[in-house]
Each structure stands twice: as structure tokens, then as C-alpha cells.
Amino acid sequence: MTKRFYITTPIYYVNAEPHIGHAYTTIVADVMSRFHRLMGYRTHFLTGTDDHGDKIAQAAAEAGTDPKSYADRISNLFRETWPKLNISNDDFIRTTDPRHIKTVQYILQKVYDQGDIYFSNYKGLYCVGCERFYTERELVDGKCPDHDKKPVEREEANYFFRMSQYQDWLISYIRENPDFIQPERYRNEVLSFLREPLEDLCISRPIQRLSWGIPLPFDDRYVTYVWFDALINYLSALGYPDGDLFREYWPVSRHLIAKDILKPHGIYWPTMIRALGLPPFRHLNVHGYWKTEEGKMSKSHGTVVRPLDLLPVYGLDAFRYFLLREMVFGLDAGFSEEALVQRLNADLANDLGNLFSRTLAMTAKYFQGKVPPFGSDPDENDRALLAQRDQTTVDFLEEVPRFAFHKALISIWALINAANKYIDQVGPWQLFKDPGKADRLRTVMRNLLEVNRLTAVFLTPFLPDTAEKMLHRLGISKAASDVRFEEDGRWGTLREGAPVDKGEALFPRVDSAQKQGAKRPTVPKKEEKTPDTVPIDTFRTLDLRVGVVKEAHNVPKSQKLLRLIVDIGEERQVVAGIAQWYKPADLVGKQVVLVANLQPAKLMGVESRGMVLAVQDGTALRLIAPAEPVAPGSRVS
Ligand code: ME8
């Protein structure tokens, strides 16, 4: 039996351009699809746009156009964005597609005929932003929690779906199927909504008030209300009620959303599916929110981060890596370009980029750029490296299916760092000098080449471009999407004698000098041996500034440390190990040189954001300062 995988993203409203929140969900769905393809699954990956509703009609009116032209334009923006982010979706559905309209009308008629849709008067509190009625209980200080606005009173005759009669079934289903809604906090949230009696769901709008929707097949004075229309896309894209895709993929369906639309997906949708007599979707995976430094992204405050603005500066894979490494799936995360630069320079350019270029440069030098055979039997260093390879393989296979991408990446980086350490410990350049060690050198270099190849295989779901580039340069001409773990995840599959290509650096560094340091600590870095030379760009990643010491204090319980407040155009607290050589009072007013973009660290519980430079003179230590006083904040270059 072929293994199958079906994943969907929300269909995004066409009232706003794609931003990093949309990009994140879609990239996560892409990683999961690519991972399952790598594992030999037949996969189907669906995304699309939600074209109907009040909000879109309003946005179109504000833009001076009709809803359809407006929806076409923004929907196309989404459609055109995804290939630029390397999204491998199999289908793109719009709620204005005839195939969708057909399925929605079929379902409405079926549910109506069986008596689960009825007509009634309804009076309630309505939020225009959410396009739904709210109960008093759901409001926070009388306001919609999402839009911070008071809902308006509205009364109208409408059609309702008998959602309430499925409440007990839904509670037991969620209780009996712990992996139905994940992570657990969102499962609990849905169960807690369900502790209160569920009301029936209003599913229509009178056509005079909203004509931009799908007409009810049994009453053309009404159109469907947003959720009854939108949620059905997950079935209409499979060709429900007929179709091979439906039969093949519905039993393994998985929806991916953020926490904002938990209730429609965790409550409305399973009850709708139940009314249709279908088995529920298999899993709902819910992630948190990306926030910018200003808080929630908002168009009106100009705090929306658009992925296409970032790509030319940082490159696609740095962007994908950052999103996947930084967010713990299920929790909120902060987005800042400083943190992105930090990850790019440290993890990609430094750790991964160095390993790859060192390995290829040594292969070029010692083996004329050809993959050597394995030589002597493994020794202790080899075994440590292979143990990390095994651990990373286990982590990769366990963590990705759980959406714990950050953990999978941390483990891949543990392998990269183990290989960098292996180079430093084994010193292939010394083996090269000794003809008696040629056999050992073959093993060492082959191990390194295999680690690089396996790293590329692990990276195929996350960073498909980089993975493919790495494979090509290791002499394997395979597209990332053709890599299969069963075959390519095995050790030792490089072809002996295959030519490797030294090429350029995988990730050019981005100068963070203007960004005033990173805000977030990252994974602990491997110990670096000082290389013989560094490119000028490496030096430029350091943001060295002249500052004036404003305050200096002893750090309690420490003989060595002083806490300094240094003016570098802004005030910085740094902790320096100079107490043996300087008294606090001697330092105030002195000029010093500060590494301003060093990762923040805590020393004896005191935060240090930077490092002052000093020179060792015998047993004494002397601070470094410019020969003539300069303005605080001046850059050292
Ligand atoms: O709700 N952080 O569409 P929508 C993370 N049309 N993800 C975010 C985000 C953020 N700050 N902002 C948005 C709709 N998202 C309906 C869905 S589905 C049948 C109908 C992502 O355009 C996240 O996936 O408001 C969230 O669930 C979705 O965009 C909401 O998209």
C-alpha cells in the first residue's frame, strides 16, 4: 500500500497582501509535504484564497473596484508569491472557482434535505471584522478580542446549521483521539469552548446586504456565510463527493492553521463533516503568531512584514531557515531582521558554510577533487562523529512529523558542529603531510563528505535550494524533490571518484553593522580554532565601536568582573573581566573599543551586551582606545 499524506493551509483572505504569517504557514506545509515525499509518501498539498465575504466587498469598494477584479488581483499575488518561496503545492483553490461553488451547493442542499439546516430569526452582537456573531461570553470588555472593537447589534432572519446537536459527539471524539487537535494546549482550548452549550451556526446572509458569496441552492435570496463556504474548500479541491483524489486523500487529511481560526476548524468544521456522514479530518495542527517588535502586524500601523521585501536582501533559504528555526511550533515568536541576520551569519554562513567549503577545499587539495574510498577502520574520533550522525537521524525522523522543526534543525546543526570539531581534532592537513597516514586521510575525508551529503539530505525539506546545490557540488545530480530517504539516507552512498566542485560560499554573510546587535541568544557555538586567514567580509561582520565609560561598578561576589555602562551613541551595559587591573573610579570618562554586535550573554547573572577590547601585556591587561579621542559611537574599521 502506498503511504499517503494530504496537508492544507488556510485559504487566505484576499483583503491583504501576503505577509510573513501567511508565508510561515505555507512554508511549514511545504516542509511537511517535502518531508513526506522524501519518505516515499504520495502527497497532496493544497493552498488557496478565500475570495468571498463582507471584508473583501468592503476592500474592493475602498479600492474603487468590483469584488471579483479585486479578488483576482490579490489572489494572483498569493499565487505568484508561493513559487518564489519554493512552495511545492499541488493545487491552488479559490472560493470563486466553479468546482468549489458546485461542491458548496451540493453540501448545502444535502444538509438542508436531511433537516440539519433551518430558517430562523436571530438577534445578536456582530463583529464586521470577523464576519460573525459573538456571544457576550466571548467578548473581552465588551469588545471583539481580535479587533478590539465593540460589535454591533444585528437582527435578521437567516439559515442556521444545527451545530448544537453534534456537541456531545465532538467532545467524545476529541477525548478519544488525542492526536486530533495538536499541540495539546489547543486541544484543551477547544474542549474548554465545548464546556459551554454550543449554539447553532448562522450560515447565510440576505443577498441585499451581501451579494458577494455563493447563493443558497434552496433560497436564492441568501448567500452562504463565510465559514460554511470557506471550510468546504478542503473537500471541494479533492472533487468531493466524487473523485479519486477524495477517496485517496480524505482519510489522511491534515489541516494546518494558526490559533486565530481554531474555533471554526476545531468546532464548526468537524460538526459540518459529521453532518455529511464523513469521517472527520485526521489532524488539526495549530501554530502561534509571529509578532514584530511593535507587536501584532497591522496594515494600518505599517508593521506588516512582506516576505518578498526580505528575499533580495537575505535570500530565500536564510528566510525559510529563520522562520523554521526560530518559532517553536504552537507558541508565538518574535520577528526581527537583526535576529535573522544573526542566524544567517552564525548558523548558515559560519557553521554550515564553513563545513561545506572546508570539506570541498580539502578534497580538492588532497584528492584532486574526487571522492576517495573509505580507508582505515574507524577510530574514537570517527565513532563520536558517527554517534552524532545516528542521533541526528533519529531526531530528524521523530521531530519533523511532530512539527518540532526547531528541534530537528538543532540536531542537524549538532551534526554540522560535530563535523567542524572533527576537522579541528583530526587535522587532515597533518595527515596529508605524512605519507604513512594516507589511508587514515581517506577515511577522514570520506566521513566528512558523507556528513555533508547527509546534511544536504536532511535539509531537503527545509532548504531545498541549498540542499540541491550541496548535492550537485558533491557530484550527485538529483533534484531535491527526487531525493528519497530510504536510499539517500544511507551512509556511504557517494560514488567513489565522483568529482566534487569547490565553488563559492553557500551563504554570503550579511553585514549587520547598522543593525545594532542581535536581540536573541542563539544555539551555543562550537569552539573555533583561529584560521590562518579570514576574508575581509568576515572581519566586517564585527561591529566595533568607540565608546566612553559613563559608569563602572564591581559585580557583587566577583573578583574579576566589572559592570560598565558605555556610551556608544546609545548606552550599553557590558561586563568585563578587568577588575584585577582597573578600579571602577579609574575607568569613568575613558574611551574604550566595544564589539557592539556580540550575542548578549549573562555573566554572574548580569547581562552583557558587548565586549570591551583589551591587550595582554605580559601578566598585565590594558584596555584598547583610539590614539586621539573620537566621538562616541564611531565605527572602528
Ligand atoms: O482567516 N502569524 O484568512 P487570513 C502566524 N480566510 N500566522 C499568521 C499570522 C501571524 N501573525 N497572520 C496570519 C482566514 N497568519 C480565513 C481562513 S480557512 C478555511 C479560511 C496565517 O488571511 C495563519 O495561517 O486571515 C492564519 O491562520 C491565517 O494566516 C489567517 O489567514
Side-chain angles (χ1 to χ4, degrees):
M1 254 278 286
T2 323
K3 297 176 286 181
R4 293 187 167 84
F5 182 76
Y6 173 40
I7 193 161
T8 66
T9 71
I11 46 170
Y12 305 112
Y13 283 131
V14 293
N15 63 344
E17 289 176 39
H19 58 60
I20 55 161
H22 305 123
Y24 176 74
T25 315
T26 315
I27 288 172
V28 167
D30 183 61
V31 170
M32 290 305 272
S33 300
R34 288 178 185 273
F35 175 83
H36 283 86
R37 276 185 223 121
L38 179 69
M39 294 300 149
Y41 284 60
R42 269 169 69 89
T43 65
H44 194 70
F45 167 12
L46 173 70
T47 188
T49 53
D50 191 350
D51 294 355
H52 290 131
D54 276 355
K55 278 197 238 180
I56 288 122
Q58 268 168 21
E62 277 162 28
T65 179
D66 63 291
K68 178 72 169 89
S69 320
Y70 186 81
D72 286 349
R73 187 172 69 78
I74 309 280
S75 182
N76 275 337
L77 275 181
F78 278 92
R79 201 193 283 270
E80 285 161 12
T81 296
W82 300 145
K84 294 180 187 148
L85 301 187
N86 241 333
I87 301 300
S88 59
N89 56 305
D90 297 286
D91 195 358
F92 186 99
I93 191 158
R94 297 182 56 183
T95 51
T96 43
D97 285 351
R99 58 176 172 159
H100 176 71
I101 295 170
K102 194 169 135 221
T103 301
V104 169
Q105 291 191 326
Y106 168 85
I107 289 176
L108 282 164
Q109 189 68 54
K110 182 174 156 77
V111 179
Y112 180 71
D113 289 346
Q114 74 193 35
D116 272 350
I117 289 176
Y118 64 92
F119 192 62
S120 169
N121 238 331
Y122 185 80
K123 191 168 154 197
L125 296 166
Y126 183 84
C127 171
V128 181
C130 298
E131 306 200 15
R132 74 171 175 98
F133 285 99
Y134 269 83
T135 59
E136 294 277 3
R137 270 195 315 274
E138 288 176 305
L139 302 175
V140 178
D141 300 330
K143 292 180 183 166
C144 159
D146 275 351
H147 294 90
D148 202 29
K149 276 197 189 138
K150 269 196 163 119
V152 289
E153 279 262 346
R154 219 170 237 191
E155 180 175 6
E156 64 190 27
N158 260 313
Y159 284 90
F160 288 81
F161 165 55
R162 288 188 204 282
M163 189 159 72
S164 55
Q165 67 176 0
Y166 296 103
Q167 176 160 14
D168 293 342
W169 165 79
L170 183 58
I171 294 171
S172 354
Y173 189 84
I174 296 175
R175 290 219 173 106
E176 283 157 24
N177 294 277
D179 61 355
F180 183 51
I181 301 173
Q182 286 170 318
E184 204 180 338
R185 57 202 328 246
Y186 295 111
R187 173 174 181 261
N188 294 338
E189 205 172 301
V190 171
L191 283 171
S192 100
F193 285 141
L194 288 169
R195 257 183 240 128
E196 307 289 339
L198 207 55
E199 287 170 13
D200 288 343
L201 185 68
C202 177
I203 62 157
S204 69
R205 292 299 180 72
I207 210 147
Q208 315 86 287
R209 201 152 64 66
L210 174 74
S211 56
W212 186 232
I214 300 176
L216 300 185
F218 42 83
D219 188 343
D220 60 11
R221 296 169 306 153
Y222 286 86
V223 294
T224 43
Y225 168 79
V226 63
W227 286 107
F228 214 88
D229 168 1
L231 289 161
I232 288 172
N233 90 87
Y234 303 134
L235 278 174
S236 55
L238 296 182
Y240 176 80
D242 317 301
D244 292 341
L245 282 179
F246 168 66
R247 277 184 286 278
E248 198 176 344
Y249 288 111
W250 183 250
V252 294
S253 47
R254 181 187 284 276
H255 303 311
L256 176 65
I257 58 166
K259 60 184 186 180
D260 55 336
I261 49 177
L262 177 61
K263 198 167 180 183
H265 284 79
I267 298 181
Y268 308 171
W269 185 221
T271 57
M272 286 165 64
I273 300 169
R274 180 75 179 167
L276 285 174
L278 291 178
F281 53 85
R282 279 287 278 279
H283 305 285
L284 177 65
N285 294 95
V286 189
H287 65 76
Y289 246 48
W290 280 98
K291 302 204 163 135
T292 57
E293 276 153 0
E294 296 81 13
K296 212 173 158 178
M297 274 186 285
S298 131
K299 206 171 161 187
S300 50
H301 294 116
T303 52
V304 172
V305 185
R306 281 182 302 240
L308 297 189
D309 295 344
L310 300 169
L311 298 193
V313 188
Y314 306 108
L316 171 59
D317 278 357
F319 175 64
R320 286 179 64 119
Y321 176 77
F322 176 77
L323 293 185
L324 296 162
R325 174 64 184 78
E326 198 76 2
M327 181 174 256
V328 175
F329 191 91
L331 305 179
D332 291 349
F335 182 89
S336 78
E337 285 186 54
E338 280 81 3
L340 199 164
V341 169
Q342 175 99 353
R343 288 259 177 235
L344 165 59
N345 286 344
D347 300 4
L348 297 174
N350 194 26
D351 297 344
L352 173 62
N354 274 353
L355 174 66
F356 195 61
S357 65
R358 287 162 102 187
T359 305
L360 295 187
M362 289 190 288
T363 311
K365 189 161 170 197
Y366 309 149
F367 297 103
Q368 297 79 48
K370 301 221 160 43
V371 174
F374 285 107
S376 59
D377 289 343
D379 75 1
E380 209 178 294
N381 288 318
D382 302 348
R383 277 192 288 274
L385 181 65
L386 299 185
Q388 182 59 55
R389 170 203 67 187
D390 294 343
Q391 183 59 50
T392 299
T393 307
V394 169
D395 293 340
F396 177 71
L397 297 177
E398 280 182 0
E399 302 298 357
V400 180
R402 287 185 195 144
F403 288 76
F405 310 113
H406 71 296
K407 285 196 186 160
L409 289 168
I410 287 173
S411 187
I412 296 169
W413 257 255
L415 177 61
I416 293 169
N417 289 338
N420 273 320
K421 190 166 146 208
Y422 176 81
I423 298 179
D424 298 342
Q425 281 174 342
V426 173
W429 45 90
Q430 278 153 11
L431 301 175
F432 181 62
K433 279 190 215 143
D434 183 348
K437 302 234 165 98
D439 210 31
R440 174 81 193 121
L441 181 63
R442 278 197 279 279
T443 295
V444 167
M445 288 312 301
R446 182 60 186 265
N447 280 343
L448 284 168
L449 286 161
E450 291 290 340
V451 166
N452 277 281
R453 186 186 59 78
L454 212 52
T455 300
V457 171
F458 290 138
L459 290 179
T460 50
F462 303 106
L463 315 178
D465 279 352
T466 303
E468 198 168 289
K469 212 188 278 175
M470 289 175 72
L471 290 175
H472 286 181
R473 284 172 54 186
L474 289 165
I476 303 160
S477 53
K478 246 189 198 177
S481 54
D482 292 335
V483 176
R484 292 289 170 272
F485 198 76
E486 196 177 2
E487 189 185 311
D488 302 303
R490 279 184 290 129
W491 185 250
T493 61
L494 274 168
R495 198 165 43 81
E496 193 185 315
V500 306
D501 170 15
K502 221 171 106 191
E504 310 244 288
L506 278 181
F507 289 93
R509 284 166 193 278
V510 170
D511 186 356
S512 61
Q514 307 315 316
K515 311 252 182 220
Q516 285 299 329
K519 301 275 185 308
R520 232 172 301 276
T522 54
V523 275
K525 295 277 101 61
K526 67 188 188 312
E527 278 172 29
E528 273 285 356
K529 239 186 170 183
T530 313
D532 294 341
T533 58
V534 292
I536 184 80
D537 284 351
T538 307
F539 172 71
R540 287 201 186 114
T541 59
L542 289 178
D543 187 13
L544 301 174
R545 302 276 167 170
V546 174
V548 178
V549 179
K550 292 281 172 202
E551 293 173 33
H553 308 274
N554 287 308
V555 171
K557 297 196 199 115
S558 171
Q559 311 270 301
K560 294 189 182 155
L561 301 179
L562 293 183
R563 178 172 71 86
L564 312 178
I565 305 291
V566 183
D567 174 8
I568 54 162
E570 63 170 51
E571 291 204 339
R572 279 295 182 91
Q573 172 170 292
V574 295
V575 178
I578 54 174
Q580 274 172 276
W581 298 280
Y582 290 94
K583 288 200 177 54
D586 300 341
L587 288 169
V588 176
K590 260 194 194 317
Q591 291 215 317
V592 290
V593 177
L594 195 84
V595 185
N597 62 344
L598 201 66
Q599 283 177 17
K602 273 202 170 161
L603 300 170
M604 301 284 288
V606 184
E607 180 168 63
S608 181
R609 294 183 57 225
M611 178 174 89
V612 288
L613 293 185
V615 54
Q616 191 90 34
D617 179 17
T619 53
L621 192 89
R622 295 282 167 250
L623 286 169
I624 289 180
E628 318 296 337
V630 300
S634 302
R635 179 140 201 235
V636 179
S637 55

